Amino acid sequence: MIGEADLTALGIHRISIPIPFLEAGGPVNAYAIEDRDGGLLLFDSGLGSPQASAAMAEGLARIGRSPRDITRIIVSHGHIDHYGGTAALLEQAGREVPVQAHPRDIPKMAEGFPRWLDQVGLYGAFFQRLGVPVEVMADAWKQVRDGFTKARRIPRVEPLDLAEPLRMKHVTFEAMHMPGHTPGLLCLYDREHRLFVSDDHLLEHVSPNPLIELGPDGQEDWRPLVAYLESVGRLHALEVDLVLPGHATPFGDHRAVIDRLLAFYGKRQQKIREELGIGPLTGWEVTRRLFPRAPAAAMFLTVSETLANMEVLEDRGEVVRAPDGDLLRFGLR
């Protein structure tokens, strides 16, 4: 299997950046890719914390580079551990550097759009309908709020043209839209060398949590796991020798990893069927049965995972939801 030394020969340099989120599955990866003009394309930038910034500087110095060598930044998706260091890198570059992402995720990271923190009322109302207690939401909110202190908004982000190949010094990547973990998640694929930069779309030991995202008016029009299953099916069909993930170290045998993940989701959905077989339940009641020992601070992750799996069952016609006063209840069809 191709190793890190082979990646270096192809002009692909993985920079590992520490993050405080254990559930992510390890340090976040940024990839510095040698461009034909002598500069660097940076795929993701890590967090904006002092520790993360130091790790980025050390990673660039290790390959004899600095932020001044970055000529383009592509952000895989709009989560703080992937875009948080971008604003500081733009300042350190000392000149204008284009930043690109998928249009669906640009509002999460760019200046001029409502921040997630500004929409907490919409999310709070939605979680209340799912039956989440107010005190649990308060604990979870504190963790989310603290996380956003580690990322600054990016002054300007442009949509990436998915039809235009990324012709680097030694490799040519296709940018692929792989929605699921977020609506606008991007991956890179080099057909010649069978490399797939998966970001958080596929991780070796952690399931890519399908997170709840509401529309600007609080509408629920995005089903992350339904979208993810379609996207990961497309990845399963690709010929890939090495996956370069968004967290932890590169790995091979992507189809075996996907098959294990699908089996994991299958078991989770069977557990949901068993719980709903007793009678209709709120989203929070199902969550507590699936994650009985999860701390309150993990509410956003656990409720997202639960709801996403129930949405797959809804999509298959096995589960229905119905209002019960101010609550939503889910039951078997």
Side-chain angles (χ1 to χ4, degrees):
M1 184 176 75
I2 188 171
E4 297 261 7
D6 302 297
L7 292 176
T8 299
L10 292 173
I12 302 171
H13 309 278
R14 182 172 66 91
I15 300 175
S16 179
I17 300 172
I19 56 174
F21 317 122
L22 297 178
E23 64 274 7
V28 69
N29 294 319
Y31 292 93
I33 306 169
E34 296 175 21
D35 207 342
R36 291 181 297 175
D37 62 4
L40 292 176
L41 181 153
L42 189 67
F43 188 71
D44 281 349
S45 63
L47 271 178
S49 67
Q51 298 86 349
S53 297
M56 173 62 76
E58 291 168 8
L60 290 171
R62 191 167 55 248
I63 60 174
R65 300 297 193 111
S66 77
R68 291 186 175 273
D69 294 301
I70 298 171
T71 54
R72 185 180 187 184
I73 298 174
I74 296 176
V75 180
S76 64
H77 67 289
H79 286 164
I80 58 174
D81 52 335
H82 295 266
Y83 79 79
T86 301
L89 286 170
L90 294 177
E91 294 167 353
Q92 295 161 17
R95 53 180 165 70
E96 186 172 347
V97 174
V99 180
Q100 297 169 309
H102 191 278
R104 289 290 301 272
D105 270 28
I106 288 176
K108 298 183 185 66
M109 65 184 82
E111 291 180 357
F113 293 91
R115 300 175 304 162
W116 195 92
L117 299 180
D118 299 326
Q119 299 174 305
V120 66
L122 294 176
Y123 281 86
F126 180 70
F127 284 123
Q128 279 189 302
R129 292 189 69 208
L130 294 176
V132 180
V134 173
E135 61 273 16
V136 172
M137 284 192 279
D139 284 346
W141 160 243
K142 181 179 183 300
Q143 178 164 319
V144 171
R145 182 191 61 203
D146 291 347
F148 276 95
T149 64
K150 300 175 176 64
R152 291 161 52 194
R153 285 284 180 134
I154 306 168
R156 183 178 178 85
V157 185
E158 298 290 341
L160 180 67
D161 183 357
L162 299 183
E164 185 68 27
L166 301 171
R167 303 187 190 280
M168 301 290 99
K169 185 176 182 180
H170 301 292
V171 295
T172 297
F173 280 116
E174 302 169 40
M176 292 188 167
H177 180 210
M178 292 287 186
H181 182 62
T182 70
L185 187 138
L186 292 172
C187 299
L188 305 180
Y189 180 46
D190 174 26
R191 291 183 185 272
E192 179 183 355
H193 301 95
R194 297 158 64 114
L195 301 174
F196 191 83
V197 187
S198 70
D199 193 62
D200 286 4
H201 184 60
L202 187 67
L203 305 172
E204 188 173 17
H205 301 298
V206 178
S207 66
N209 202 291
L211 298 174
I212 291 171
E213 289 198 26
L214 302 178
D217 298 318
Q219 67 269 30
E220 189 188 358
D221 55 5
W222 160 244
R223 295 194 163 200
L225 190 53
V226 173
Y228 180 80
L229 294 177
E230 186 279 329
S231 296
V232 84
R234 288 191 281 121
L235 172 54
H236 195 284
L238 294 178
E239 297 300 327
V240 176
D241 287 341
L242 188 69
V243 175
L244 282 63
H247 298 269
T249 56
F251 59 91
D253 204 356
H254 73 299
R255 292 186 178 119
V257 175
I258 292 171
D259 290 343
R260 288 198 301 270
L261 180 61
L262 296 180
F264 165 78
Y265 283 134
K267 291 179 181 177
R268 179 147 288 169
Q269 289 156 19
Q270 179 55 32
K271 174 66 173 173
I272 291 172
R273 291 187 195 94
E274 293 170 0
E275 296 298 338
L276 294 182
I278 302 171
L281 299 170
T282 66
W284 179 242
E285 289 169 336
V286 179
T287 299
R288 296 305 296 158
R289 285 159 170 78
L290 293 182
F291 304 97
R293 291 182 292 277
M299 179 277 294
F300 188 76
L301 296 177
T302 55
V303 173
S304 289
E305 180 84 11
T306 301
L307 182 61
N309 278 277
M310 289 198 293
E311 287 170 343
V312 170
L313 295 174
E314 284 184 293
D315 198 58
R316 294 173 183 165
E318 300 180 44
V319 165
V320 294
R321 67 176 73 188
D324 179 11
D326 293 332
L327 297 173
L328 273 179
R329 293 196 181 273
F330 299 81
L332 296 180
R333 183 179 292 277

